[in-house]
Amino acid sequence: MSSLAARPPALDGGWGWAVVASGFLALLLGYGSPQSVGILYPEWLLAFGEGKATTAWVGSLVAGVGLVVGPVCSVCVVNFGARPVTVFSGVMVAGGLMLSSFAPNIPFLIFSYGIVVGVGVGLLYAATITITCLYFDKRKGLALGIINTGTSMGGFLYATLQSELIELLGLDGCLLVIGALALNVVACAGPMRPLNPPRYYLKQRAAILEQQRLQEEELSNQKPLAKDQVIAMETKEPLVRRRMLFCCSAFVKMIKIKTRQYVQCLSSMLSLLQDRVLMALCISLFFYSLGNSPPQLFLEDLAQSSGLTEGITSISLVSLSSIGGGVGKLCLGIMADVPQVNSVLLYALTVGVSGLAVLLIPLTSSYLDLQVLSVVLGFLGGNWTLTPYVTSQVVGAEKLAEAHGILLFFGGAGLMLGPPVVGCFYDFCQSYDVAFFISGGGMMLGSVVLVLAAILPQPQTPPPAASGPEGAELISCTVTTVTETTSPVS
């Protein structure tokens, strides 16, 4: 029986709301600094004197690494449970932030902030999404929208907090205080009570029971009345030799089985790309991630370098984007639960309008225009909440894990490449205009590709008949408890 079939029914309330509250607070504390990294970016430029492209790798990696390693994070949650993974992610995020305060150069900062904090928030997001999906079914969209709002709320609060801490304590002191606050993620793991034992616990229990069985079998095969010790040893040696040979052959057999399963899983994932809509969704997500992440990082620097912030003490652009993102994630999550809404076309619409907003950035002439565009981009950035619904609508719930892993890879690649590419254009042209025009055009192109793939009739080809044990192994490969785990965060 698969683990999905053995999973207890979702509760849709009760203790599930405590899990939602803890997940919301955990994402707020963990994603606060990465979501408002645009506040730290100008300070790093002044402190280390590197180019914009090199410095941009810090912010791009902290956003992209968590998505690229998303499937690995999901496997960790399935095997060890959401609570231990949340504790470990809190320690990892806090350690990476504190370590970044001692960074002597940008390469060290890329490792401490970009990679360590990035992997930590990836683990944290996988844990919160997994435990929330286990506790909710009919209200899953609302629950996911609430906890995803925690990332935007953290970005809004931490944007102001980091600015004040930099003025009071400097950049190093700010990172130390933010790292200390991130340690509270460990406490948020308390309410994440599992509904079923983690896979690692079940494997360990099965191994202990098997060892006890072998010990009982060994005792039953021994001759308790043997008076001569030499005779007893002679009867024991063949048994020990047989056990060693059995263990070696079992180990080799296990390696062959695991290798065959991994090859079949990889082949199954790659075969999903034959679906035209899923391939268009991957292209659209890549261009969206490539073009939407640079404004979050560079808008504050653009406003300062253009002299639009002189004499203005209003709320920062990063905070406005975070407010819009929180509202967008909640609203789009609720809209996804409406049966009449086509989530594929809704996602394509958000990508296209986001591309139009990015195209308008070089045409702005005042700080108010940038504020409006920041709110719009933040609201439309809430479409990360739609990715699980879009994926399940395209490939079905049975293949959601494999398809979502592919989407995470494309999204993570776009997030990592976006800011460095825009930084390279700035270093070469001394202007953001060309980069934003290319980014916005790519996003609109991705939206058009997805709409055409969704509305044009697709030829129906009968699926190949799966017969014999190979077909059964392929089905068991695709059925996994990771089907409702990670979805990317913006």
Side-chain angles (χ1 to χ4, degrees):
M1 181 184 294
S2 65
S3 54
L4 277 178
R7 190 185 69 181
L11 304 180
D12 279 313
W15 189 255
W17 295 117
V19 174
V20 169
S22 63
F24 172 86
L25 186 58
L27 293 181
L28 187 151
L29 295 170
Y31 271 93
S33 182
Q35 285 291 98
S36 58
V37 70
I39 299 296
L40 301 175
Y41 176 74
E43 302 296 329
W44 287 330
L45 286 174
L46 295 175
F48 300 107
E50 296 285 350
K52 294 181 183 294
T54 304
T55 310
W57 276 108
V58 181
S60 63
L61 283 176
V62 75
V65 167
L67 296 181
V68 172
V69 302
V72 179
C73 297
S74 302
V75 172
C76 293
V77 175
V78 171
N79 283 276
F80 302 104
R83 184 180 288 171
V85 172
T86 302
V87 172
F88 182 77
S89 66
V91 175
M92 199 168 184
V93 172
L97 290 172
M98 293 181 179
L99 190 63
S100 299
S101 64
F102 302 99
N105 48 44
I106 289 296
F108 186 92
L109 198 63
I110 288 176
F111 167 75
S112 61
Y113 195 96
I115 297 179
V116 176
V117 178
V119 175
V121 294
L123 289 170
L124 176 62
Y125 191 79
T128 53
I129 290 296
T130 301
I131 195 67
T132 303
C133 289
L134 291 177
Y135 272 89
F136 288 89
D137 185 18
K138 296 180 181 179
R139 299 180 180 177
K140 187 182 301 180
L142 176 61
L144 291 175
I146 292 175
I147 65 170
N148 279 317
T149 306
T151 61
S152 300
M153 184 64 67
F156 166 69
L157 296 177
Y158 274 59
T160 305
L161 178 62
Q162 290 185 146
S163 299
E164 297 295 331
L165 289 175
I166 289 174
E167 293 183 3
L168 294 175
L169 305 175
L171 181 60
D172 298 341
C174 169
L175 291 173
L176 284 175
V177 174
I178 297 301
L181 290 175
L183 277 176
N184 292 282
V185 173
V186 176
C188 297
M192 297 182 183
R193 183 175 61 196
L195 291 177
N196 46 10
R199 185 177 297 175
Y200 180 78
Y201 169 81
L202 297 176
K203 290 181 179 179
Q204 292 297 315
R205 183 174 178 81
I208 292 174
L209 294 177
E210 180 67 17
Q211 185 178 5
Q212 292 177 353
R213 187 188 66 80
L214 291 175
Q215 290 178 353
E216 293 176 357
E217 181 181 353
E218 180 181 352
L219 292 175
S220 62
N221 291 334
Q222 289 181 350
K223 297 181 179 180
L225 300 178
K227 298 182 179 180
D228 192 355
Q229 188 176 2
V230 177
I231 298 177
M233 292 297 296
E234 290 177 354
T235 58
K236 187 176 181 180
E237 283 184 2
L239 179 62
V240 174
R241 192 178 298 108
R242 286 197 302 270
R243 286 188 58 189
M244 292 179 62
L245 293 176
F246 172 77
C247 293
C248 293
S249 60
F251 180 72
V252 174
K253 184 178 180 181
M254 181 188 67
I255 292 179
K256 292 182 179 179
I257 294 176
K258 291 293 183 181
T259 303
R260 184 168 62 251
Q261 290 177 351
Y262 291 151
V263 171
Q264 290 176 350
C265 287
L266 180 60
S267 176
S268 176
M269 292 180 65
L270 295 178
S271 65
L272 292 175
L273 293 177
Q274 297 177 0
D275 188 284
R276 186 179 65 190
V277 180
L278 180 62
M279 191 63 194
L281 183 60
C282 293
I283 297 174
S284 177
L285 181 60
F286 173 77
F287 280 111
Y288 174 76
S289 303
L290 188 69
N292 187 62
S293 56
Q296 300 179 7
L297 184 63
F298 293 113
L299 272 186
E300 201 69 43
D301 181 63
L302 173 63
Q304 295 178 8
S305 60
S306 302
L308 300 179
T309 58
E310 296 180 359
I312 297 178
T313 58
S314 60
I315 188 171
S316 65
L317 299 177
V318 176
S319 300
L320 290 174
S321 179
S322 299
I323 294 175
V327 177
K329 289 172 183 176
L330 188 60
C331 294
L332 293 176
I334 295 175
M335 292 178 63
D337 287 333
V338 180
Q340 292 79 12
V341 174
N342 188 325
S343 60
V344 178
L345 297 181
L346 178 62
Y347 181 83
L349 178 64
T350 58
V351 174
V353 179
S354 297
L356 179 61
V358 174
L359 286 175
L360 294 177
I361 291 178
L363 305 179
T364 56
S365 58
S366 65
Y367 194 72
L368 178 61
D369 296 338
L370 291 179
Q371 288 177 323
V372 173
L373 291 177
S374 297
V375 175
V376 172
L377 287 173
F379 180 85
L380 297 173
N383 61 3
W384 286 107
T385 308
L386 298 176
T387 50
Y389 289 89
V390 175
T391 309
S392 61
Q393 184 174 346
V394 173
V395 300
E398 295 80 8
K399 299 181 179 180
L400 178 60
E402 291 80 3
H404 201 263
I406 297 174
L407 287 175
L408 287 177
F409 176 80
F410 278 88
L415 285 177
M416 287 191 296
L417 293 177
V421 169
V422 174
C424 288
F425 274 104
Y426 183 89
D427 292 338
F428 182 75
C429 304
Q430 295 300 311
S431 174
Y432 289 110
D433 295 351
V434 177
F436 283 142
F437 281 136
I438 295 176
S439 299
M443 294 167 67
M444 297 190 70
L445 176 62
S447 175
V448 172
V449 170
L450 182 58
V451 170
L452 292 178
I455 63 177
L456 293 180
Q458 187 170 3
Q460 299 291 334
T461 56
S467 59
E470 295 183 358
E473 289 180 359
L474 183 59
I475 295 176
S476 64
C477 169
T478 56
V479 178
T480 171
T481 56
V482 197
T483 54
E484 296 170 341
T485 54
T486 57
S487 74
V489 178
S490 174

